[in-house]
Amino acid sequence: MPVGYPQDALVRIERLEKLVDQLYTASQTRPAQDVIRSAAVTIGDPDGAHIKLIPMGDIGAEIHLTPASGTNPTKLQADTSAGYPGEAALHIVSGDAGAVSSELLLASGQVSMRILDGGGDAGGFAYWGSDRARFGFIDGSNDNYFDFSGNGISRHYGQWEDFGSLASNAGVLSGSWTIASGFVGATVHYPSTMDSNMGPVASLRDGASNPNFYHCLTSSTTSSYDHDWSPSGGLGGPLTGKAGYFWSFRH
């Protein structure tokens, strides 16, 4: 008995082949991951140079950039905090948060850089805000920095190094000295001949309960200055011990 086929049988078979190909391709394709809720995604070699995207990091959304195996990553961290409600602050952190690291913070009205150790200030820092700027060194025990306020007032916190240990190119020398009774003056020598002319500003404290002298600076060079004194005509009295305090600047 003869068998009949539709006239478009070949066309139908071709369509079926295409559908089978499409079904096979779809079965071998992962669904699109346009949303990753919490798991980290690593791009590159996890044991070498790689980038890690972390939706839920230590403080917020993070991107870790690791240049090579065995190195700490540079972290880009976006977070919200009480200081900046309703907006994101960008942290760029280099180093291990549990050890020495450095941080750059960009936020509304604030830019800051600092050295950290275990999360606390441990070195140089700079801060620029909308009403204040600071820069210097902070570690909780040897703080030394400049502070510039929005009302035009500047301050220095810390100490000035003793003049006896400074080099010839130091901009400012400051210190103190003492001398026993009986002298009528003192020559204060700088630690070396300074690179340019010096401008000393000095004061004198008398060892007696009642000051009994006049005093003045009589000479100044790049290597020293002379501070002389004598009993006043009306007071008289012995030439008691003296203590001098000075600030001398290059100009």
Side-chain angles (χ1 to χ4, degrees):
M1 180 177 180
V3 179
Y5 295 97
Q7 292 182 352
D8 61 347
L10 295 178
V11 174
R12 294 183 181 185
I13 292 173
E14 184 179 359
R15 289 176 179 173
L16 287 173
E17 289 178 341
K18 289 182 178 180
L19 288 173
V20 171
D21 287 341
Q22 291 173 359
L23 289 173
Y24 178 79
T25 301
S27 69
Q28 301 300 313
T29 303
R30 294 180 179 179
Q33 294 184 343
D34 56 353
V35 176
I36 300 174
R37 297 293 181 184
S38 59
V41 176
T42 299
I43 302 172
D45 182 3
D47 296 323
H50 64 274
I51 300 172
K52 182 176 288 188
L53 308 179
I54 308 174
M56 298 177 63
D58 294 335
I59 64 174
E62 300 184 7
I63 300 175
H64 292 189
L65 308 174
T66 302
S69 175
T71 61
N72 291 319
T74 294
K75 301 177 182 179
L76 280 68
Q77 302 170 319
D79 76 313
T80 58
S81 64
Y84 309 98
E87 64 177 82
L90 174 63
H91 300 255
I92 301 177
V93 180
S94 179
D96 188 347
V100 178
S101 61
S102 58
E103 178 190 58
L104 169 64
L105 170 63
L106 304 175
S108 178
Q110 174 184 337
V111 178
S112 65
M113 299 183 294
R114 58 179 181 159
I115 304 299
L116 305 172
D117 189 352
D121 290 300
F125 82 99
Y127 169 90
W128 300 273
S130 58
D131 61 354
R132 171 167 263 101
R134 294 176 175 176
F135 71 91
F137 181 93
I138 289 182
D139 67 355
S141 58
N142 297 297
D143 298 351
N144 188 5
Y145 60 91
F146 288 92
D147 183 294
F148 304 91
S149 67
N151 59 7
I153 296 176
S154 60
R155 296 177 179 176
H156 171 255
Y157 296 84
Q159 296 176 315
W160 294 96
E161 188 171 7
D162 186 84
F163 76 102
S165 59
L166 297 178
S168 62
N169 61 352
V172 174
L173 284 77
S174 61
S176 62
W177 51 267
T178 58
I179 191 169
S181 301
F183 294 91
V184 295
T187 299
V188 179
H189 294 274
Y190 303 131
S192 59
T193 299
M194 305 305 291
D195 291 347
S196 62
N197 190 38
M198 300 297 291
V201 179
S203 63
L204 203 60
R205 178 174 60 84
D206 188 63
S209 58
N210 296 313
N212 58 358
F213 61 93
Y214 295 126
H215 70 97
C216 65
L217 302 185
T218 57
S219 67
S220 174
T221 69
T222 56
S223 60
S224 65
Y225 71 86
D226 288 316
H227 200 160
D228 295 342
W229 57 86
S230 63
S232 63
L235 294 176
L239 295 172
T240 56
K242 304 292 187 289
Y245 307 91
F246 75 93
W247 175 292
S248 190
F249 58 94
R250 285 178 53 213
H251 61 95

